[in-house]
Amino acid sequence: MILKYIPLDEGMMIMDEAIVKAKKIIEGYPETKFSGEEYQRFYECVYFMCTYHSSNEKTMQLYEKFRNSLEESIFSTVLPTLVNKQGANLLREFVVIWSNYKLMARWLCRFFEYLDRFFIPQHIELESLNGISFSCFRDLVFKKLYCRLIEAALTLINQEREGQQIDCVLLKNGLDIFVEISDYKGVNYYEDFERIMLTEISGYYSRLASEWLLHDSSAEYVQKVFWCLNREKQRARQYLHPDTEVKIVQVVRYHLLDQIANKLMEKRQAENSGMVTDYQVPINLQISNFIIVA
C-alpha cells in the first residue's frame, strides 16, 4: 500500500462520516451497512494518519476520537431512550439498545483497527478498542440503570411465580446481558442480582411454609413442596443461568423442608392421634379457598 498523506483535520472529517453513519445503528436502524469501498476508505484513513504522522500525539487523538464517539452516542441517544423507562419496557429497550450498540461498536472497531494492531500494543496502559466499547457502556449506562434493571427482572420473575404470563425470552435476554458484561471484567453483576433474588425467594417461601403448616395437612404440605420445587426448576431453566437452578432448589428445600422438618413431623404425629398443634387450626376452621401463589 502506497503511503498517503492525509492532514489531521481532513482525516478527522473523514472519520466523522464513518461515526455519523455508524450512529444510525444505535438510533434504531440496525440494518445500516457499509460497503467494501466505505470500509476500505475509513480503515485506510486511520492507517495513513497513524503511519504518516509518526507522532504518538496524533495517533492518540484518533484513539480519543474512538472513545468520544461512543460516549457521545451514549449521552445523545442511549440514555435519553432509557432514562424514563420502567419495568418490562425498560428491560425491552435495554436489550435492543445493547444489541444495536454492540453492532455500532463493531463497525467502529473495524475502522480504527490499526490502533488495536499496532498502536495500543506499544502502550500497555491503554485499553483495547473492544475494551473501551464495553467499559463505556458498563460505566455510563449499565451502572446507572443497574438497580432499576434488577427491579424490572425481579418484578417479572415474581409475576410469573404468581401465575401471570410474562415474556420469558425478554427476561432471559436481559439477564444474559448481566452475565455478558460481568464476563468482561470487574464486578460480577449477575451474581449480585442472584443474591438479591435468592434473598427474596427465601422470604417468600418462609412465609408460605408458615401458612401451609397452619392451614394444610402434612400430606398436602408435602405435595405443595414438590410442586413448588418442580416449578422453580422449570422457571430457572427458562431464563436463569444454569448454575442458579441448584441454588434456588437449595433455598426452597431449606425453607419448605429442612427448617420445619421437626414441626412437620410433629404435625403428622398429631394428625395420626387426632390432636391439634399450637401452629395448626382445627380442620373446620381451615380456609377452604386457600390458593397457593407459586
Short mmCIF file of all heavy atoms in Angstrom, two decimals, residues 208-261:
data_model
loop_
_atom_site.label_atom_id
_atom_site.label_comp_id
_atom_site.label_asym_id
_atom_site.label_seq_id
_atom_site.Cartn_x
_atom_site.Cartn_y
_atom_site.Cartn_z
N LEU A 208 -44.64 -18.84 53.04
CA LEU A 208 -45.51 -19.93 52.60
C LEU A 208 -45.46 -21.11 53.56
O LEU A 208 -46.48 -21.73 53.85
CB LEU A 208 -45.10 -20.39 51.19
CG LEU A 208 -45.64 -19.61 50.00
CD1 LEU A 208 -45.33 -20.34 48.72
CD2 LEU A 208 -47.13 -19.35 50.12
N ALA A 209 -44.26 -21.43 54.05
CA ALA A 209 -44.13 -22.55 54.98
C ALA A 209 -45.00 -22.34 56.21
O ALA A 209 -45.69 -23.27 56.67
CB ALA A 209 -42.66 -22.72 55.38
N SER A 210 -44.98 -21.13 56.75
CA SER A 210 -45.80 -20.83 57.94
C SER A 210 -47.28 -20.96 57.63
O SER A 210 -48.06 -21.52 58.44
CB SER A 210 -45.50 -19.41 58.44
OG SER A 210 -44.14 -19.29 58.83
N GLU A 211 -47.69 -20.46 56.47
CA GLU A 211 -49.11 -20.53 56.10
C GLU A 211 -49.55 -21.97 55.87
O GLU A 211 -50.64 -22.37 56.32
CB GLU A 211 -49.35 -19.70 54.83
CG GLU A 211 -49.17 -18.20 55.03
CD GLU A 211 -49.28 -17.43 53.72
OE1 GLU A 211 -49.70 -18.05 52.71
OE2 GLU A 211 -48.95 -16.24 53.71
N TRP A 212 -48.73 -22.73 55.19
CA TRP A 212 -49.11 -24.12 54.88
C TRP A 212 -49.18 -24.97 56.14
O TRP A 212 -50.06 -25.83 56.27
CB TRP A 212 -48.13 -24.73 53.89
CG TRP A 212 -48.20 -24.11 52.53
CD1 TRP A 212 -49.12 -23.23 52.05
CD2 TRP A 212 -47.27 -24.31 51.46
NE1 TRP A 212 -48.84 -22.86 50.76
CE2 TRP A 212 -47.71 -23.52 50.37
CE3 TRP A 212 -46.12 -25.07 51.32
CZ2 TRP A 212 -47.04 -23.50 49.15
CZ3 TRP A 212 -45.44 -25.06 50.10
CH2 TRP A 212 -45.90 -24.27 49.03
N LEU A 213 -48.22 -24.77 57.05
CA LEU A 213 -48.26 -25.53 58.30
C LEU A 213 -49.55 -25.25 59.08
O LEU A 213 -50.09 -26.12 59.77
CB LEU A 213 -47.05 -25.17 59.18
CG LEU A 213 -45.73 -25.85 58.84
CD1 LEU A 213 -44.61 -25.24 59.67
CD2 LEU A 213 -45.81 -27.35 59.09
N LEU A 214 -50.03 -24.02 58.95
CA LEU A 214 -51.22 -23.63 59.69
C LEU A 214 -52.50 -24.18 59.07
O LEU A 214 -53.42 -24.59 59.79
CB LEU A 214 -51.28 -22.10 59.75
CG LEU A 214 -52.40 -21.47 60.59
CD1 LEU A 214 -52.22 -21.82 62.05
CD2 LEU A 214 -52.42 -19.96 60.39
N HIS A 215 -52.54 -24.20 57.74
CA HIS A 215 -53.81 -24.47 57.07
C HIS A 215 -53.90 -25.82 56.37
O HIS A 215 -55.01 -26.24 56.00
CB HIS A 215 -54.09 -23.38 56.04
CG HIS A 215 -54.25 -22.01 56.62
ND1 HIS A 215 -55.30 -21.68 57.46
CD2 HIS A 215 -53.48 -20.89 56.52
CE1 HIS A 215 -55.18 -20.41 57.82
NE2 HIS A 215 -54.09 -19.92 57.28
N ASP A 216 -52.81 -26.51 56.14
CA ASP A 216 -52.84 -27.74 55.35
C ASP A 216 -52.43 -28.96 56.17
O ASP A 216 -51.69 -28.85 57.15
CB ASP A 216 -51.89 -27.62 54.14
CG ASP A 216 -52.33 -26.52 53.19
OD1 ASP A 216 -53.52 -26.50 52.84
OD2 ASP A 216 -51.49 -25.67 52.83
N SER A 217 -52.89 -30.11 55.70
CA SER A 217 -52.43 -31.36 56.32
C SER A 217 -50.99 -31.60 55.92
O SER A 217 -50.47 -30.98 54.98
CB SER A 217 -53.31 -32.52 55.85
OG SER A 217 -53.07 -32.78 54.46
N SER A 218 -50.33 -32.50 56.62
CA SER A 218 -48.93 -32.79 56.30
C SER A 218 -48.80 -33.36 54.89
O SER A 218 -47.83 -33.04 54.18
CB SER A 218 -48.36 -33.79 57.33
OG SER A 218 -49.12 -34.99 57.34
N ALA A 219 -49.76 -34.17 54.46
CA ALA A 219 -49.71 -34.73 53.10
C ALA A 219 -49.86 -33.64 52.06
O ALA A 219 -49.15 -33.61 51.04
CB ALA A 219 -50.80 -35.78 52.94
N GLU A 220 -50.79 -32.72 52.31
CA GLU A 220 -50.99 -31.61 51.37
C GLU A 220 -49.74 -30.72 51.34
O GLU A 220 -49.33 -30.23 50.27
CB GLU A 220 -52.20 -30.79 51.80
CG GLU A 220 -53.52 -31.49 51.59
CD GLU A 220 -54.68 -30.75 52.23
OE1 GLU A 220 -54.43 -30.00 53.22
OE2 GLU A 220 -55.81 -30.92 51.77
N TYR A 221 -49.17 -30.53 52.50
CA TYR A 221 -47.95 -29.70 52.59
C TYR A 221 -46.85 -30.28 51.69
O TYR A 221 -46.23 -29.57 50.90
CB TYR A 221 -47.48 -29.64 54.04
CG TYR A 221 -46.29 -28.72 54.25
CD1 TYR A 221 -46.46 -27.43 54.70
CD2 TYR A 221 -44.99 -29.17 53.99
CE1 TYR A 221 -45.38 -26.59 54.89
CE2 TYR A 221 -43.90 -28.33 54.17
CZ TYR A 221 -44.11 -27.04 54.62
OH TYR A 221 -43.03 -26.21 54.79
N VAL A 222 -46.60 -31.57 51.81
CA VAL A 222 -45.54 -32.22 51.03
C VAL A 222 -45.84 -32.14 49.55
O VAL A 222 -44.94 -31.89 48.72
CB VAL A 222 -45.36 -33.69 51.48
CG1 VAL A 222 -44.41 -34.42 50.54
CG2 VAL A 222 -44.84 -33.74 52.91
N GLN A 223 -47.10 -32.30 49.16
CA GLN A 223 -47.47 -32.19 47.75
C GLN A 223 -47.15 -30.80 47.21
O GLN A 223 -46.62 -30.66 46.10
CB GLN A 223 -48.96 -32.49 47.58
CG GLN A 223 -49.33 -33.96 47.71
CD GLN A 223 -50.82 -34.18 47.52
OE1 GLN A 223 -51.63 -33.26 47.64
NE2 GLN A 223 -51.19 -35.42 47.25
N LYS A 224 -47.46 -29.80 47.99
CA LYS A 224 -47.19 -28.42 47.57
C LYS A 224 -45.69 -28.15 47.45
O LYS A 224 -45.24 -27.42 46.56
CB LYS A 224 -47.83 -27.43 48.54
CG LYS A 224 -49.35 -27.40 48.47
CD LYS A 224 -49.94 -26.43 49.48
CE LYS A 224 -51.44 -26.36 49.36
NZ LYS A 224 -52.04 -25.41 50.31
N VAL A 225 -44.92 -28.74 48.34
CA VAL A 225 -43.47 -28.57 48.31
C VAL A 225 -42.90 -29.11 47.00
O VAL A 225 -42.13 -28.44 46.30
CB VAL A 225 -42.80 -29.27 49.51
CG1 VAL A 225 -41.27 -29.31 49.31
CG2 VAL A 225 -43.14 -28.56 50.80
N PHE A 226 -43.29 -30.32 46.64
CA PHE A 226 -42.75 -30.92 45.42
C PHE A 226 -43.24 -30.17 44.19
O PHE A 226 -42.50 -30.03 43.21
CB PHE A 226 -43.13 -32.40 45.35
CG PHE A 226 -42.28 -33.27 46.22
CD1 PHE A 226 -42.80 -33.87 47.36
CD2 PHE A 226 -40.94 -33.47 45.93
CE1 PHE A 226 -42.01 -34.66 48.19
CE2 PHE A 226 -40.14 -34.26 46.74
CZ PHE A 226 -40.67 -34.85 47.87
N TRP A 227 -44.47 -29.65 44.24
CA TRP A 227 -44.97 -28.85 43.12
C TRP A 227 -44.13 -27.58 42.96
O TRP A 227 -43.75 -27.21 41.84
CB TRP A 227 -46.44 -28.50 43.36
CG TRP A 227 -47.09 -27.84 42.19
CD1 TRP A 227 -47.65 -28.44 41.10
CD2 TRP A 227 -47.23 -26.42 41.98
NE1 TRP A 227 -48.14 -27.50 40.22
CE2 TRP A 227 -47.90 -26.25 40.75
CE3 TRP A 227 -46.87 -25.30 42.73
CZ2 TRP A 227 -48.21 -24.99 40.23
CZ3 TRP A 227 -47.18 -24.04 42.21
CH2 TRP A 227 -47.84 -23.89 40.98
N CYS A 228 -43.86 -26.92 44.06
CA CYS A 228 -43.06 -25.68 44.02
C CYS A 228 -41.63 -25.95 43.54
O CYS A 228 -41.06 -25.17 42.76
CB CYS A 228 -43.02 -25.02 45.39
SG CYS A 228 -44.56 -24.20 45.85
N LEU A 229 -41.04 -27.04 44.00
CA LEU A 229 -39.69 -27.38 43.57
C LEU A 229 -39.64 -27.60 42.07
O LEU A 229 -38.72 -27.11 41.39
CB LEU A 229 -39.20 -28.63 44.30
CG LEU A 229 -38.77 -28.44 45.77
CD1 LEU A 229 -38.55 -29.78 46.44
CD2 LEU A 229 -37.49 -27.59 45.84
N ASN A 230 -40.61 -28.31 41.53
CA ASN A 230 -40.65 -28.56 40.09
C ASN A 230 -40.85 -27.27 39.31
O ASN A 230 -40.21 -27.05 38.27
CB ASN A 230 -41.76 -29.56 39.75
CG ASN A 230 -41.40 -30.98 40.16
OD1 ASN A 230 -40.23 -31.34 40.19
ND2 ASN A 230 -42.40 -31.78 40.49
N ARG A 231 -41.73 -26.40 39.81
CA ARG A 231 -41.97 -25.13 39.13
C ARG A 231 -40.73 -24.24 39.16
O ARG A 231 -40.42 -23.57 38.16
CB ARG A 231 -43.14 -24.40 39.79
CG ARG A 231 -44.50 -24.99 39.50
CD ARG A 231 -44.89 -24.86 38.02
NE ARG A 231 -45.05 -23.45 37.67
CZ ARG A 231 -44.44 -22.89 36.63
NH1 ARG A 231 -43.64 -23.60 35.85
NH2 ARG A 231 -44.63 -21.61 36.35
N GLU A 232 -40.02 -24.21 40.27
CA GLU A 232 -38.82 -23.38 40.36
C GLU A 232 -37.73 -23.91 39.43
O GLU A 232 -36.98 -23.13 38.84
CB GLU A 232 -38.31 -23.32 41.80
CG GLU A 232 -39.18 -22.51 42.75
CD GLU A 232 -39.23 -21.03 42.39
OE1 GLU A 232 -38.38 -20.56 41.61
OE2 GLU A 232 -40.13 -20.34 42.89
N LYS A 233 -37.63 -25.22 39.29
CA LYS A 233 -36.67 -25.79 38.35
C LYS A 233 -37.01 -25.37 36.92
O LYS A 233 -36.13 -24.98 36.15
CB LYS A 233 -36.66 -27.32 38.46
CG LYS A 233 -36.02 -27.87 39.72
CD LYS A 233 -36.10 -29.39 39.74
CE LYS A 233 -35.52 -29.97 41.02
NZ LYS A 233 -35.64 -31.46 41.05
N GLN A 234 -38.27 -25.47 36.56
CA GLN A 234 -38.70 -25.08 35.22
C GLN A 234 -38.44 -23.60 34.99
O GLN A 234 -37.98 -23.19 33.91
CB GLN A 234 -40.20 -25.39 35.05
CG GLN A 234 -40.54 -26.86 35.07
CD GLN A 234 -42.03 -27.11 35.13
OE1 GLN A 234 -42.84 -26.18 34.99
NE2 GLN A 234 -42.44 -28.34 35.38
N ARG A 235 -38.73 -22.81 36.01
CA ARG A 235 -38.54 -21.36 35.91
C ARG A 235 -37.06 -21.04 35.69
O ARG A 235 -36.72 -20.22 34.83
CB ARG A 235 -39.05 -20.73 37.21
CG ARG A 235 -39.29 -19.25 37.16
CD ARG A 235 -40.03 -18.80 38.41
NE ARG A 235 -41.43 -19.25 38.38
CZ ARG A 235 -41.98 -20.02 39.29
NH1 ARG A 235 -41.28 -20.46 40.32
NH2 ARG A 235 -43.24 -20.36 39.18
N ALA A 236 -36.21 -21.67 36.44
CA ALA A 236 -34.77 -21.41 36.32
C ALA A 236 -34.25 -21.79 34.94
O ALA A 236 -33.42 -21.08 34.37
CB ALA A 236 -34.01 -22.18 37.41
N ARG A 237 -34.72 -22.91 34.42
CA ARG A 237 -34.24 -23.37 33.12
C ARG A 237 -34.71 -22.47 31.97
O ARG A 237 -34.09 -22.45 30.92
CB ARG A 237 -34.72 -24.81 32.88
CG ARG A 237 -34.02 -25.81 33.79
CD ARG A 237 -34.70 -27.17 33.78
NE ARG A 237 -34.11 -28.06 34.79
CZ ARG A 237 -34.61 -29.24 35.13
NH1 ARG A 237 -35.73 -29.68 34.56
NH2 ARG A 237 -34.02 -29.97 36.06
N GLN A 238 -35.78 -21.74 32.20
CA GLN A 238 -36.31 -20.88 31.16
C GLN A 238 -35.47 -19.63 30.95
O GLN A 238 -35.25 -19.21 29.81
CB GLN A 238 -37.75 -20.46 31.48
CG GLN A 238 -38.80 -21.50 31.11
CD GLN A 238 -40.19 -20.94 31.33
OE1 GLN A 238 -40.60 -20.69 32.46
NE2 GLN A 238 -40.91 -20.74 30.26
N TYR A 239 -35.02 -18.99 32.06
CA TYR A 239 -34.40 -17.68 31.86
C TYR A 239 -33.24 -17.36 32.79
O TYR A 239 -32.70 -16.26 32.73
CB TYR A 239 -35.45 -16.56 31.98
CG TYR A 239 -36.42 -16.69 33.12
CD1 TYR A 239 -36.04 -16.49 34.44
CD2 TYR A 239 -37.76 -17.01 32.88
CE1 TYR A 239 -36.93 -16.59 35.48
CE2 TYR A 239 -38.68 -17.11 33.92
CZ TYR A 239 -38.26 -16.90 35.22
OH TYR A 239 -39.15 -16.99 36.25
N LEU A 240 -32.84 -18.29 33.66
CA LEU A 240 -31.72 -18.00 34.55
C LEU A 240 -30.47 -18.76 34.13
O LEU A 240 -30.53 -19.68 33.32
CB LEU A 240 -32.10 -18.38 35.99
CG LEU A 240 -33.28 -17.62 36.60
CD1 LEU A 240 -33.66 -18.20 37.94
CD2 LEU A 240 -32.95 -16.13 36.73
N HIS A 241 -29.33 -18.34 34.68
CA HIS A 241 -28.07 -19.01 34.39
C HIS A 241 -28.13 -20.44 34.91
O HIS A 241 -28.73 -20.71 35.97
CB HIS A 241 -26.93 -18.25 35.08
CG HIS A 241 -25.56 -18.70 34.67
ND1 HIS A 241 -24.91 -19.74 35.30
CD2 HIS A 241 -24.74 -18.27 33.68
CE1 HIS A 241 -23.73 -19.92 34.74
NE2 HIS A 241 -23.60 -19.03 33.75
N PRO A 242 -27.55 -21.41 34.19
CA PRO A 242 -27.63 -22.82 34.60
C PRO A 242 -27.23 -23.07 36.05
O PRO A 242 -27.82 -23.92 36.73
CB PRO A 242 -26.69 -23.52 33.63
CG PRO A 242 -26.71 -22.67 32.41
CD PRO A 242 -26.85 -21.26 32.90
N ASP A 243 -26.23 -22.36 36.54
CA ASP A 243 -25.76 -22.58 37.92
C ASP A 243 -26.77 -22.12 38.96
O ASP A 243 -26.70 -22.52 40.13
CB ASP A 243 -24.44 -21.85 38.16
CG ASP A 243 -23.30 -22.43 37.32
OD1 ASP A 243 -23.44 -23.57 36.86
OD2 ASP A 243 -22.29 -21.72 37.13
N THR A 244 -27.71 -21.27 38.57
CA THR A 244 -28.66 -20.70 39.52
C THR A 244 -29.70 -21.73 39.96
O THR A 244 -30.20 -21.65 41.10
CB THR A 244 -29.35 -19.47 38.91
OG1 THR A 244 -28.35 -18.55 38.47
CG2 THR A 244 -30.25 -18.78 39.93
N GLU A 245 -30.03 -22.66 39.10
CA GLU A 245 -31.07 -23.63 39.42
C GLU A 245 -30.77 -24.37 40.72
O GLU A 245 -31.65 -24.52 41.59
CB GLU A 245 -31.23 -24.64 38.28
CG GLU A 245 -32.28 -25.70 38.56
CD GLU A 245 -32.36 -26.76 37.47
OE1 GLU A 245 -31.87 -26.51 36.34
OE2 GLU A 245 -32.92 -27.85 37.74
N VAL A 246 -29.55 -24.86 40.88
CA VAL A 246 -29.17 -25.61 42.07
C VAL A 246 -29.34 -24.74 43.32
O VAL A 246 -29.84 -25.21 44.36
CB VAL A 246 -27.72 -26.11 41.97
CG1 VAL A 246 -27.29 -26.79 43.26
CG2 VAL A 246 -27.58 -27.07 40.79
N LYS A 247 -28.94 -23.48 43.24
CA LYS A 247 -29.03 -22.58 44.39
C LYS A 247 -30.48 -22.33 44.78
O LYS A 247 -30.82 -22.28 45.97
CB LYS A 247 -28.32 -21.26 44.08
CG LYS A 247 -26.83 -21.43 43.78
CD LYS A 247 -26.20 -20.11 43.37
CE LYS A 247 -24.74 -20.31 42.97
NZ LYS A 247 -24.12 -19.06 42.52
N ILE A 248 -31.35 -22.17 43.78
CA ILE A 248 -32.77 -21.94 44.08
C ILE A 248 -33.37 -23.16 44.75
O ILE A 248 -34.11 -23.05 45.75
CB ILE A 248 -33.54 -21.60 42.79
CG1 ILE A 248 -33.14 -20.22 42.29
CG2 ILE A 248 -35.04 -21.67 43.02
CD1 ILE A 248 -33.80 -19.80 41.01
N VAL A 249 -33.08 -24.34 44.23
CA VAL A 249 -33.61 -25.57 44.80
C VAL A 249 -33.15 -25.71 46.25
O VAL A 249 -33.94 -26.10 47.14
CB VAL A 249 -33.18 -26.79 43.97
CG1 VAL A 249 -33.50 -28.10 44.71
CG2 VAL A 249 -33.88 -26.78 42.61
N GLN A 250 -31.90 -25.38 46.53
CA GLN A 250 -31.39 -25.46 47.90
C GLN A 250 -32.14 -24.52 48.83
O GLN A 250 -32.48 -24.89 49.96
CB GLN A 250 -29.89 -25.14 47.91
CG GLN A 250 -29.02 -26.22 47.30
CD GLN A 250 -27.56 -25.78 47.19
OE1 GLN A 250 -27.24 -24.60 47.28
NE2 GLN A 250 -26.66 -26.75 47.00
N VAL A 251 -32.41 -23.31 48.37
CA VAL A 251 -33.12 -22.33 49.19
C VAL A 251 -34.55 -22.79 49.45
O VAL A 251 -35.04 -22.73 50.59
CB VAL A 251 -33.13 -20.94 48.50
CG1 VAL A 251 -34.10 -19.99 49.20
CG2 VAL A 251 -31.73 -20.34 48.50
N VAL A 252 -35.23 -23.25 48.41
CA VAL A 252 -36.62 -23.69 48.57
C VAL A 252 -36.70 -24.89 49.51
O VAL A 252 -37.55 -24.96 50.40
CB VAL A 252 -37.24 -24.02 47.20
CG1 VAL A 252 -38.66 -24.59 47.37
CG2 VAL A 252 -37.28 -22.77 46.32
N ARG A 253 -35.82 -25.87 49.32
CA ARG A 253 -35.81 -27.05 50.19
C ARG A 253 -35.55 -26.66 51.64
O ARG A 253 -36.17 -27.21 52.56
CB ARG A 253 -34.76 -28.06 49.71
CG ARG A 253 -35.15 -28.85 48.48
CD ARG A 253 -34.08 -29.87 48.15
NE ARG A 253 -33.91 -30.80 49.27
CZ ARG A 253 -34.62 -31.92 49.40
NH1 ARG A 253 -35.52 -32.25 48.49
NH2 ARG A 253 -34.41 -32.74 50.42
N TYR A 254 -34.64 -25.74 51.83
CA TYR A 254 -34.29 -25.35 53.20
C TYR A 254 -35.51 -24.76 53.92
O TYR A 254 -35.82 -25.14 55.05
CB TYR A 254 -33.15 -24.33 53.19
CG TYR A 254 -32.85 -23.78 54.56
CD1 TYR A 254 -32.18 -24.54 55.51
CD2 TYR A 254 -33.28 -22.49 54.92
CE1 TYR A 254 -31.93 -24.05 56.78
CE2 TYR A 254 -33.03 -21.98 56.18
CZ TYR A 254 -32.34 -22.77 57.11
OH TYR A 254 -32.11 -22.27 58.37
N HIS A 255 -36.22 -23.83 53.26
CA HIS A 255 -37.32 -23.14 53.92
C HIS A 255 -38.59 -23.99 53.98
O HIS A 255 -39.37 -23.85 54.94
CB HIS A 255 -37.61 -21.81 53.22
CG HIS A 255 -36.57 -20.77 53.49
ND1 HIS A 255 -36.48 -20.10 54.67
CD2 HIS A 255 -35.54 -20.31 52.72
CE1 HIS A 255 -35.46 -19.26 54.64
NE2 HIS A 255 -34.87 -19.36 53.46
N LEU A 256 -38.81 -24.85 53.00
CA LEU A 256 -40.04 -25.64 53.00
C LEU A 256 -39.89 -27.01 53.67
O LEU A 256 -40.89 -27.59 54.09
CB LEU A 256 -40.54 -25.84 51.56
CG LEU A 256 -41.00 -24.58 50.82
CD1 LEU A 256 -41.59 -24.96 49.47
CD2 LEU A 256 -42.00 -23.77 51.64
N LEU A 257 -38.64 -27.49 53.77
CA LEU A 257 -38.45 -28.83 54.34
C LEU A 257 -37.47 -28.84 55.51
O LEU A 257 -37.82 -29.19 56.62
CB LEU A 257 -37.98 -29.80 53.25
CG LEU A 257 -39.02 -30.15 52.17
CD1 LEU A 257 -38.39 -31.02 51.09
CD2 LEU A 257 -40.22 -30.85 52.78
N ASP A 258 -36.24 -28.47 55.25
CA ASP A 258 -35.20 -28.63 56.26
C ASP A 258 -35.51 -27.83 57.53
O ASP A 258 -35.37 -28.34 58.65
CB ASP A 258 -33.84 -28.19 55.70
CG ASP A 258 -33.42 -29.02 54.50
OD1 ASP A 258 -34.01 -30.10 54.30
OD2 ASP A 258 -32.51 -28.60 53.76
N GLN A 259 -35.90 -26.57 57.36
CA GLN A 259 -36.08 -25.69 58.50
C GLN A 259 -37.28 -26.09 59.37
O GLN A 259 -37.30 -25.83 60.57
CB GLN A 259 -36.23 -24.23 58.05
CG GLN A 259 -36.07 -23.22 59.16
CD GLN A 259 -36.08 -21.80 58.63
OE1 GLN A 259 -36.87 -21.47 57.76
NE2 GLN A 259 -35.19 -20.95 59.15
N ILE A 260 -38.29 -26.72 58.77
CA ILE A 260 -39.51 -27.04 59.53
C ILE A 260 -39.71 -28.55 59.64
O ILE A 260 -40.84 -29.00 59.90
CB ILE A 260 -40.74 -26.36 58.89
CG1 ILE A 260 -40.86 -26.72 57.40
CG2 ILE A 260 -40.65 -24.85 59.04
CD1 ILE A 260 -41.57 -27.96 57.10
N ALA A 261 -38.66 -29.33 59.43
CA ALA A 261 -38.79 -30.79 59.44
C ALA A 261 -39.40 -31.30 60.75
O ALA A 261 -40.30 -32.15 60.74
CB ALA A 261 -37.43 -31.44 59.19
#
